[in-house]
């Protein structure tokens, strides 16, 4: 179909890959839990735009450039790791503030950051784009399911990318509505909120370390 081979296997692998936790999905869940459905979808839109850019770059051959240029790969890699670390420390600071004020009434709570200041779309977009391994992954995964004899391989990439975005949409939608269920509990229980935010910050630090240790 349109140069795509072994579609069932591709879809099965895609589901498993989408379900793996990563900084994108974790950030969307965090935004939805703190800001609600609308802001959750705003963050998700940043992820989808970022993934679309990475898929396009992969199809255009940027993955080969990153693989062949260690300096360029290192620049992108460490920039991405630095941004994830910055986000992680922001979460840890917010968690510490929640813990210190855990005995105060919820009505007196001051939000740690306004939605306008956070700019969830931009943050999610940057998290997606500063991940050189994602570019390499897209080309390495997609190319296995493109018929080398098909006259229009770009169309095959579009089909594969459309399925990937659909899977991402369904998964992030589930996370967004799960996050809003957690929101009320977080607002009422400062210790729970502080613990969850600390865990999220620690995971982002882990993602940063993993990206730092990645090789092309």
């Amino acid at each position: 179909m349109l140069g795509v081979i072994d579609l069932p296997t591709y879809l099965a692998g895609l589901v498993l890959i989408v379900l793996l936790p990563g900084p994108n999905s974790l950030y969307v869940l965090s935004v939805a839990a703190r800001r609600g459905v609308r802001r959750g979808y705003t963050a998700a839109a940043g992820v989808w735009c970022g993934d679309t850019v990475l898929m396009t770059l992969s199809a255009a051959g940027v993955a080969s450039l990153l693989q062949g240029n260690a300096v360029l790969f290192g620049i992108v890699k460490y920039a991405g790791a630095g941004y994830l670390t910055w986000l992680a420390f922001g979460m840890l600071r917010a968690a510490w503030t929640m813990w210190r004020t855990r005995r105060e009434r919820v009505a007196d709570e001051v939000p740690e950051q306004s939605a306008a200041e956070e700019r969830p779309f931009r943050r999610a977009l940057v998290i997606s784009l500063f991940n050189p391994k994602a570019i390499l992954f897209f080309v390495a995964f997609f190319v296995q399911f493109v018929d080398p004899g098909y006259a229009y391989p770009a169309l095959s990439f579009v089909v594969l990318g459309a399925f990937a975005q659909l899977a991402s949409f369904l998964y992030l939608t589930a996370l967004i509505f799960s996050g809003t269920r957690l929101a009320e509990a977080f607002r009422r229980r400062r210790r729970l909120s502080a613990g969850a935010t600390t865990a999220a910050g620690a995971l982002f630090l882990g993602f940063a370390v993993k990206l730092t240790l990645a090789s092309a």
Side-chain angles (χ1 to χ4, degrees):
M1 181 186 73
L2 300 177
V4 176
I5 59 177
D6 204 2
L7 183 59
T9 300
Y10 169 74
L11 295 177
L14 183 62
V15 169
L16 294 175
I17 290 164
V18 168
L19 291 178
L20 289 175
N24 291 344
S25 56
L26 180 61
Y27 181 67
V28 171
L29 177 62
S30 172
V31 170
R34 292 180 289 110
R35 305 299 183 193
V37 170
R38 183 177 178 181
R39 290 290 174 179
Y41 272 111
T42 300
V47 173
W48 297 325
C49 287
D51 285 348
T52 299
V53 171
L54 295 184
M55 292 176 195
T56 303
L57 293 175
S58 297
V62 173
S64 298
L65 178 62
L66 285 176
Q67 282 183 311
N69 191 322
V71 174
L72 180 60
F73 181 85
I75 291 173
V76 178
K77 178 177 72 172
Y78 288 114
Y83 187 72
L84 291 176
T85 301
W86 179 72
L87 288 179
F89 278 106
M91 292 179 179
L92 294 174
R93 285 196 303 268
W96 175 243
T97 299
M98 294 174 197
W99 179 259
R100 285 189 304 149
T101 60
R102 64 189 181 280
R103 299 186 187 281
E104 298 177 7
R105 294 182 302 168
V106 174
D108 295 332
E109 181 176 357
V110 178
E112 73 272 14
Q113 190 176 40
S114 71
E117 290 175 338
E118 184 173 4
R119 295 189 178 93
F121 176 87
R122 187 180 69 179
R123 283 197 176 185
L125 178 64
V126 173
I127 290 172
S128 295
L129 293 179
F130 277 98
N131 187 358
K133 295 299 289 185
I135 301 176
L136 301 178
F137 160 76
F138 278 128
V139 72
F141 185 61
F142 281 11
V143 74
Q144 300 176 55
F145 302 96
V146 175
D147 184 355
Y150 188 63
Y152 307 101
L155 183 58
S156 304
F157 271 88
V158 170
V159 173
L160 295 172
F163 278 115
Q165 292 289 47
L166 176 60
S168 177
F169 172 80
L170 295 175
Y171 178 56
L172 292 183
T173 293
L175 289 183
I176 288 168
F177 284 96
S178 298
T180 55
R181 285 178 170 269
L182 297 173
E184 185 61 29
F186 286 168
R187 280 193 289 267
R188 293 181 177 277
R189 301 177 183 177
R190 293 287 188 86
R191 293 184 180 182
L192 176 62
S193 183
T197 305
T198 299
L203 282 174
F204 267 78
L205 279 178
F207 292 137
V209 172
K210 183 179 179 181
L211 182 56
T212 300
L213 298 176
S215 58

